[in-house]
Amino acid sequence: MNTPSQSEKQPIKAADGSQISGATRMRMACLFVALCVGSLLVGARQMEWSQVVLLSGDTWLTLTASRLPRMAALILTGVGLAVCGVILQHIVRNRFVEPGTSGGLDAAKLGVLVSLTLMPAMGKFSQMLFALGFCFVTSLLYVAVIRRIQFRNTALVPVIGLMYGSVLSAVAEFYAYQQNILQSMQGWLMGDFSRVVQGQYEVIYLILPIAVLAYLYAHRFTVLGMGEDMATSLGLGYAATATLGLLLVAITVSVTVITVGAIYFVGLVVPNLVVLHYGDNLKHTLPLVAVGGAALLLACDIVGRLLIFPFEVPIGLTAGFIGGAIFLVLILRGEKQ
Amino acid sequence: MITVQNLSKAYGTKTVLSAVSAGFPPGCVTSVIGPNGAGKSTLLMLMARLSEPSSGDIFFDGKPVKGIPTSEYAKRVATLRQSSDFNMRLTVGELVAFGRFPYSRGVINDNDRRVIDESIEFLSLEPLRNAYIDEISGGQRQMAFLAMTIAQQTPVLLLDEPLNNLDMKHAVQIMHALRRLCDEQGRTVVLVIHDINFAANYSDHILALKGGQIRFNGPSGETITEALLHDLYDLDFEILSSERGCVCDYFTPRSGV
């Protein structure tokens, strides 16, 4: 009576899923490098290989002033957004939450707008501080609201986030209307990497330390995802860890919004794809989430640059479209199971 | 080991626990029993420090627990609640490894690995080690959570209705495991339980609550009596003893309820 009988053990496939295999790592690395090379080669100006080798001429200038910064920005933004998504999903304990479905992106936009009108001379730094402040405060509020709701339907949580985001967006638009900058606002805030050139984007490198910090805290964020009671039983300071997580998200979101604009769905699709195959243990999966986010954005960007060559479709559109489609497939597949 | 003194808890104007004082004998299984709304789970949550008492104190080894940081308390008292809202996709092995979190904070060493293996071994979960917990049965899931709690290696374990929704076999496995934790490892187990027969047959000590107050508190041999149980549950009990234990029969009352 003290050991489970043989018949009762379910025939469970030897799930080596918890550990990411070496082959998977190799495949991901190859895909990632291929996308990076693709990103460097695609563009309105033809690359001259002879000039690349000689480190001079127009091609070299294109590469260092535009293509390389753009690639770095794409990678960092992808990493940042995907990591943000997975952290938010653990804090809120809902798979369908990301900065775009929790009001975070809208709050950051509002912050940029307020900064532009209140202190237009202050530039990027002030924009970032305002975006950061707005994003952080609104996400604290969102988490507080979600925690007060007793009946937590999986679909309800992101719906509340979308409504919340719409309200913030409406406030932003009303404000922009009053300040007479409504038309230009929509232009800037649509995710777009064509503005990324040397000297304009460097603040995005802030995502690098954020991603490292997120990895160091990966175990704690996983425990956070187990809920407040279980986290406390395991000796984790719940409130402090959740606040740190929200702060990391707010910094990342504000940095990306001021450099490249708002990009939806990356934080949603990549973590969900990774969870499906490799589980929720962030210590193992966070690197994959980060690389996946970068790869998705690189791919979306290449598609955007090729669709109406030599012109560009903003990445906000391509990422929204590709991400949305993948997400729909994920939901439908999930329901079938 | 762990004692509570004059512990009260009120939500708004509703008092769910009033001035409860009790000690929990070390190295024993103590079952907290009583009707719904008696304050059993509230008492356990207060002891686990998952909610704050309105008044009164909890002591661990004579020291008030208020002064112990959360991270330290997790090395002394492990709590297992019902985990129906747990939606993380982890394997059984990974889940059990999180039981070492209070010590490792994420960096597992050789000792942690040994404890994880032992906990899995203790509940015979080896065949399920690489299975995702959202893909196994409710009973196996509960065993996995218990293994995680065991891996925390605390002198005291608190369990809130660990047998809920389990079939008889898994219920027996869980209770048997708790018994062995006390007998073989000298741990103190306190559990809230509804099934009076499991409580009577597996615990050394019974603490009965009703209306937020202690009705009786003592060794199972003295407390599992027809008179006391009738008083507690307002049901007609008949206790049948055999050499394998006892059965508290309340299923068909002799004279209406």
Side-chain angles (χ1 to χ4, degrees):
Chain A
M1 79 184 205
N2 53 353
T3 50
S5 74
Q6 206 60 40
S7 62
E8 190 188 22
K9 290 165 197 161
Q10 290 182 355
I12 281 164
K13 57 188 184 298
D16 48 355
S18 61
Q19 300 282 344
I20 296 157
S21 67
T24 309
R25 273 169 222 235
M26 273 308 291
R27 269 205 304 276
M28 276 309 287
C30 291
L31 177 70
F32 181 67
V33 170
L35 283 167
C36 287
V37 172
S39 174
L40 289 179
L41 292 182
V42 175
R45 185 179 287 273
Q46 195 63 45
M47 293 296 235
E48 301 277 350
W49 286 108
S50 56
Q51 292 185 351
V52 175
V53 178
L54 292 171
L55 309 183
S56 66
D58 276 359
T59 298
W60 183 244
L61 187 68
T62 311
L63 202 63
T64 53
S66 162
R67 297 276 169 88
L68 278 173
R70 183 173 187 146
M71 186 185 78
L74 279 163
I75 292 173
L76 287 168
T77 308
V79 167
L81 288 176
V83 168
C84 269
V86 88
I87 291 177
L88 265 181
Q89 282 151 22
H90 276 77
I91 293 174
V92 183
R93 303 185 70 197
N94 186 296
R95 296 220 183 288
F96 301 138
V97 169
E98 65 132 17
T101 60
S102 62
L105 280 178
D106 303 284
K109 284 188 201 171
L110 184 60
V112 173
L113 214 56
V114 170
S115 162
L116 274 173
T117 49
L118 285 187
M119 30 186 95
M122 291 289 285
K124 285 255 144 113
F125 186 65
S126 134
Q127 285 177 25
M128 197 198 121
L129 281 188
F130 270 86
L132 173 63
F134 273 69
C135 184
F136 184 55
V137 171
T138 49
S139 32
L140 280 178
L141 205 66
Y142 175 69
V143 171
V145 167
I146 294 300
R147 281 165 57 88
R148 282 190 75 92
I149 295 172
Q150 295 293 319
F151 175 69
R152 284 203 208 168
N153 183 306
T154 321
L156 193 67
V157 173
V159 167
I160 292 170
L162 284 171
M163 281 167 20
Y164 185 53
S166 305
V167 172
L168 290 169
S169 228
V171 172
E173 272 173 38
F174 182 69
Y175 187 75
Y177 174 74
Q178 277 194 322
Q179 304 290 330
N180 226 349
I181 46 173
L182 184 60
Q183 280 194 323
S184 48
M185 179 185 96
Q186 274 146 0
W188 320 314
L189 296 178
M190 158 74 76
D192 184 3
F193 279 86
S194 59
R195 286 170 296 161
V196 172
V197 285
Q198 204 175 13
Q200 287 287 320
Y201 80 107
E202 279 75 5
V203 65
I204 201 102
Y205 282 106
L206 261 181
I207 289 178
L208 215 56
I210 299 282
V212 172
L213 207 59
Y215 184 69
L216 292 178
Y217 268 73
H219 230 78
R220 282 157 215 241
F221 290 137
T222 314
V223 174
L224 215 54
M226 299 181 180
E228 181 168 8
D229 283 349
M230 202 174 272
T232 309
S233 307
L234 288 174
L236 183 78
Y238 183 83
T241 313
T243 311
L244 175 81
L246 290 179
L247 193 62
L248 295 185
V249 170
I251 296 173
T252 312
V253 169
S254 56
V255 164
T256 56
V257 165
I258 61 163
T259 39
V260 297
I263 300 169
Y264 293 85
F265 280 121
V266 175
L268 203 61
V269 170
V270 176
N272 272 290
L273 276 175
V274 171
V275 161
L276 209 62
H277 298 284
Y278 303 103
D280 259 320
N281 194 354
L282 289 184
K283 200 84 198 178
H284 295 148
T285 59
L286 203 64
L288 200 62
V289 167
V291 173
L296 180 63
L297 265 199
L298 284 168
C300 288
D301 183 62
I302 293 173
V303 170
R305 280 196 264 177
L306 289 176
L307 268 183
I308 50 170
F309 189 84
F311 306 103
E312 277 189 34
V313 180
I315 197 161
L317 284 181
T318 47
F321 181 78
I322 297 177
I326 299 178
F327 190 58
L328 201 63
V329 172
L330 277 179
I331 289 184
L332 291 176
R333 261 180 51 177
E335 280 194 349
K336 229 181 276 171
Q337 289 168 358
Chain B
M1 176 136 313
I2 190 162
T3 54
V4 298
Q5 214 166 64
N6 277 322
L7 209 58
S8 299
K9 176 74 182 177
Y11 294 102
T13 54
K14 192 171 180 286
T15 305
V16 284
L17 209 63
S18 52
V20 167
S21 298
F24 297 87
C28 291
V29 175
T30 301
S31 289
V32 181
I33 61 169
N36 285 330
K40 306 179 297 290
S41 292
T42 306
L43 175 64
L44 208 73
M45 287 311 100
L46 292 177
M47 288 166 63
R49 299 219 316 193
L50 295 179
S51 81
E52 284 289 310
S54 305
S55 66
D57 289 298
I58 304 159
F59 297 92
F60 188 93
D61 282 343
K63 278 179 282 185
V65 300
K66 275 182 213 153
I68 305 175
T70 311
S71 53
E72 283 302 308
Y73 202 60
K75 296 176 190 168
R76 297 172 199 189
V77 176
T79 310
L80 177 60
R81 292 194 70 186
Q82 286 157 56
S83 49
S84 48
D85 65 338
F86 191 91
N87 63 357
M88 304 273 287
R89 199 167 152 79
L90 298 172
T91 63
V92 170
E94 285 174 328
L95 183 76
V96 178
F98 275 103
R100 297 306 294 166
F101 183 80
Y103 306 88
S104 69
R105 298 257 141 195
V107 187
I108 301 278
N109 62 25
D110 284 344
N111 180 48
D112 294 326
R113 229 164 262 126
R114 186 181 54 76
V115 174
I116 294 164
D117 289 343
E118 280 171 9
S119 306
I120 289 176
E121 177 71 16
F122 190 81
L123 295 178
S124 316
L125 284 172
E126 196 54 52
L128 294 175
R129 194 176 185 134
N130 291 321
Y132 280 111
I133 50 171
D134 55 353
E135 291 170 0
I136 57 181
S137 76
Q140 293 167 331
R141 218 172 120 103
Q142 185 70 318
M143 296 289 268
F145 278 107
L146 182 62
M148 168 182 171
T149 313
I150 292 172
Q152 225 172 312
Q153 282 205 316
T154 53
V156 175
L157 281 89
L158 307 175
L159 303 102
D160 191 8
E161 300 188 31
L163 307 186
N164 238 17
N165 295 324
L166 296 193
D167 60 23
M168 284 167 281
K169 179 151 185 177
H170 279 110
V172 168
Q173 279 172 6
I174 296 260
M175 289 308 285
H176 190 80
L178 295 180
R179 196 63 258 171
R180 280 172 59 215
L181 278 175
C182 285
D183 298 342
E184 294 169 16
Q185 304 183 5
R187 306 221 216 171
T188 307
V189 175
V190 180
L191 71 154
V192 168
I193 186 166
H194 272 292
D195 191 320
I196 187 69
N197 286 308
F198 273 117
N201 285 295
Y202 281 94
S203 41
D204 307 297
H205 209 82
I206 302 277
L207 173 68
L209 290 174
K210 190 174 185 179
Q213 288 169 324
I214 294 183
R215 264 311 154 95
F216 53 85
N217 179 10
S220 335
E222 296 166 22
T223 49
I224 300 295
T225 63
E226 289 167 7
L228 284 175
L229 291 180
H230 173 78
D231 173 56
L232 185 68
Y233 290 104
D234 288 326
L235 277 175
D236 191 9
F237 276 88
E238 184 178 358
I239 295 172
L240 312 163
S241 297
S242 74
E243 62 219 54
R244 288 177 62 187
C246 67
V247 178
C248 308
D249 184 3
Y250 54 90
F251 302 104
T252 47
R254 272 168 290 199
S255 57
V257 181

